[in-house]
Amino acid sequence: PNEVERVTEEFNCAVQLMQPNSAYALGKMVMEWQAAVQATETGLNCKIARVFAQVGPTMALDKHFAVGNFLADAIHGRQFRIAGDGTPLRSYMYATDLVIWLLAILVRGRTCTPYNVGSDQPISIIELTKHIAAVANIAYLTPDILNKPENGLAPNRYVPDITRARTDLGLEIAVGIDEALTRSLHWNLNSLKEDSG
């Protein structure tokens, strides 16, 4: 629900079983359940990471990930294009933080205990375009926004609560959003130079 500021590991979100777009969420739930069953039956030390949005080198710049598409727009000098209304709130964790967190969960995490893996700092999709323009050092042009926000509705949000990772494992976000975007942009620019050179 949009009023949930940050999603905890205990939050029970009802999945619409008969909706085709529920397959991804259902698949994740089934995998966690299967892992817990195996742990119970065999004593397997099962670790569970719930990974939220990421950014970093090698990420796809031409798929359904807004951050990747916006980085490609900045690299190629295109106007940002927002498929929705620009209001949804997301958060982005840099790839090095992801690796550190996953290793910590693997080595020190409690068995059959899910840990949210992601940044807890929300940013709207439209604000993300402003950050990317700033780190790319390009003039900010108002994005081409395909839909208008609905009046009175809270923005859609999908941001993790990372209290458990902080408390249990002492984890923190080491790379903030602007540095994550800068590193991702520079890696892709260097990669393009190598490919063309």
Side-chain angles (χ1 to χ4, degrees):
N2 297 341
E3 63 272 11
V4 175
E5 190 173 327
R6 290 180 177 85
V7 179
T8 66
E9 291 88 350
E10 288 81 23
F11 181 76
N12 290 319
C13 186
V15 176
Q16 301 299 316
L17 296 176
M18 303 319 261
Q19 297 297 320
N21 63 354
S22 296
Y24 186 63
L26 285 168
K28 287 182 168 189
M29 292 171 67
V30 168
M31 291 307 299
E32 286 187 18
W33 174 80
Q34 285 182 323
V37 168
Q38 287 296 312
T40 301
E41 292 179 354
T42 66
L44 177 72
N45 191 2
C46 169
K47 306 301 175 82
I48 300 170
R50 292 183 181 164
V51 181
F52 284 68
Q54 306 291 314
V55 63
T58 74
M59 76 172 301
L61 301 183
D62 60 352
K63 301 295 182 207
H64 61 278
F65 306 110
V67 67
N69 294 333
F70 297 155
L71 285 168
D73 290 340
I75 289 168
H76 298 291
R78 299 186 300 242
Q79 181 180 15
F80 296 118
R81 186 167 194 252
I82 297 176
D85 64 13
T87 63
L89 297 166
R90 299 294 184 263
S91 62
Y92 300 92
M93 173 185 261
Y94 189 63
T96 54
D97 281 334
L98 170 65
V99 171
I100 291 166
W101 282 45
L102 291 177
L103 286 172
I105 292 166
L106 179 66
V107 174
R108 302 190 322 263
R110 290 182 278 149
T111 190
C112 292
T113 301
Y115 290 90
N116 284 340
V117 177
S119 170
D120 63 346
Q121 297 304 306
I123 183 170
S124 73
I125 299 299
I126 197 160
E127 286 297 320
L128 181 62
T129 63
K130 293 175 183 177
H131 282 260
I132 291 174
V135 302
N137 198 26
I138 58 175
Y140 183 74
L141 301 174
T142 302
D144 179 18
I145 302 173
L146 300 186
N147 293 308
K148 296 209 180 301
E150 293 187 40
N151 288 332
L153 288 182
N156 175 278
R157 36 184 328 125
Y158 188 60
V159 179
D161 181 308
I162 55 175
T163 303
R164 178 176 288 165
R166 283 185 166 130
T167 304
D168 284 13
L169 306 173
L171 294 170
E172 290 294 340
I173 301 297
V175 181
I177 185 65
D178 287 331
E179 182 62 22
L181 294 171
T182 299
R183 291 181 187 185
S184 302
L185 179 71
H186 288 166
W187 188 92
N188 280 287
L189 286 170
N190 289 334
S191 180
L192 283 173
K193 285 179 190 172
E194 289 172 8
D195 289 346
S196 65

